[in-house]
Amino acid sequence: GLGTTITFASSHWLLAWMGLEMNTLAIIPLMAQHHHPRAVEATTKYFLTQAAAAATLLFASVTNAWLTGQWEIQQITHPLPSTMITLALALKIGLAPLHAWLPEVLQGLDLTTGLILSTWQKLAPFALILQLQPSNSTLLIILGLTSALIGGWGGLNQTQLRKILAYSSIAHLGWMILVLQFSPSITLLTLLTYFIMTFSTFLVFKLNKSTNINTLAMSWTKAPALTALTPLILLSLGGLPPLTGFMPKWLIL
């Protein structure tokens, strides 16, 4: 919470970087708490990608300070640091084509930590992207389009629920980044609805103790009412009218 708050409140690149770094280091013990080889592997992958992204961000902001002589987040004018920072933040939240770590990492975690990774950990980088967006529109459109496409196609062949959720996350982020420069308020609305739907989905899976499609299909006997609601949540996450998840996509289109 502190890391995200620091990034939110900062106008200086070093403070923003520090908040992101705190965020990464704070979730590491949560990820590795199960002492399972899978969890340790996922934690290591996550740590390496986040450290690389943070290092790139720090390098880009130092370059910017060197070129322009100021550290303000709002006033990134030079195209080089601007592009580098955008790519670093895209790597941090897992936008395609920098997404490859996300399904692997999410698959190795338990559902609670996966929920934190899919929702809360996106907030701080997103706040920075939101403040940067006037400076590089073409790059954001490319990132958004590839994310929407890869997120849609990637989830097709999966049986593991956490990997499907990871690809769903990539696709939703693609939509958000796509509409960012036309209407930031719609982006925030999409982010909020995505959070609510992902929260519900993860909690359903957690109650059912289901991590793949087969256990989800057999959960009917354990919790009939919950299982009746599950398809509705999933269809909403997919963005089908007349469910809630359709609203942001409709507004974006």
Side-chain angles (χ1 to χ4, degrees):
L2 187 62
T4 306
T5 315
I6 287 178
T7 305
F8 265 53
S10 60
S11 59
H12 191 290
W13 272 118
L14 274 181
L15 261 178
W17 168 79
M18 194 176 78
L20 292 171
E21 205 68 353
M22 282 174 69
N23 240 351
T24 302
L25 291 174
I27 201 174
I28 295 283
L30 287 176
M31 291 177 149
Q33 65 184 338
H34 286 291
H35 301 303
H36 188 273
R38 225 22 235 270
V40 175
E41 185 188 345
T43 312
T44 313
K45 284 178 181 169
Y46 180 77
F47 177 72
L48 288 174
T49 49
Q50 297 299 309
T56 314
L57 185 93
L58 190 60
F59 176 59
S61 51
V62 170
T63 311
N64 182 63
W66 187 39
L67 291 167
T68 61
Q70 42 90 18
W71 286 90
E72 282 291 306
I73 289 184
Q74 300 280 0
Q75 295 165 7
I76 291 277
T77 45
H78 200 282
L80 177 70
S82 161
T83 308
M84 278 173 60
I85 289 172
T86 308
L87 287 173
L89 293 168
L91 177 60
K92 257 197 177 308
I93 56 176
L95 279 169
L98 306 163
H99 68 288
W101 59 274
L102 184 60
E104 300 291 323
V105 168
L106 205 56
Q107 182 57 34
L109 306 177
D110 67 310
L111 289 166
T112 321
T113 318
L115 173 61
I116 299 174
L117 182 67
S118 305
T119 54
W120 187 264
Q121 293 296 99
K122 302 244 189 294
L123 283 173
F126 219 87
L128 293 176
I129 293 179
L130 205 59
Q131 294 177 73
L132 274 179
Q133 47 95 9
S135 53
N136 38 18
S137 47
T138 325
L139 179 61
L140 285 178
I141 287 186
I142 293 170
L143 284 170
L145 276 175
T146 42
S147 295
L149 291 172
I150 287 185
W153 280 326
L156 289 180
N157 260 349
Q158 305 291 342
T159 55
Q160 298 290 339
L161 294 177
R162 285 167 293 186
K163 277 196 176 168
I164 296 180
L165 282 170
Y167 281 112
S168 138
S169 167
I170 295 166
H172 278 87
L173 282 169
W175 282 79
M176 288 176 224
I177 295 297
L178 206 51
V179 78
L180 186 55
Q181 54 205 315
F182 308 111
S183 167
S185 46
I186 292 186
T187 297
L188 288 173
L189 177 75
T190 316
L191 189 67
L192 185 69
T193 45
Y194 163 73
F195 273 16
I196 294 169
M197 295 182 302
T198 308
F199 208 80
S200 326
T201 315
F202 267 102
L203 289 184
V204 166
F205 292 169
K206 196 173 159 52
L207 280 167
N208 282 328
K209 294 187 175 59
S210 53
T211 53
N212 60 30
I213 289 182
N214 292 342
T215 42
L216 195 63
M218 293 187 300
S219 65
W220 181 253
T221 45
K222 287 189 286 185
L226 191 67
T227 314
L229 278 174
T230 311
L232 282 175
I233 300 175
L234 291 174
L235 287 171
S236 182
L237 197 56
L240 264 77
L243 300 163
T244 319
F246 176 60
M247 172 192 57
K249 291 201 171 174
W250 192 32
L251 291 173
I252 289 171
L253 290 172

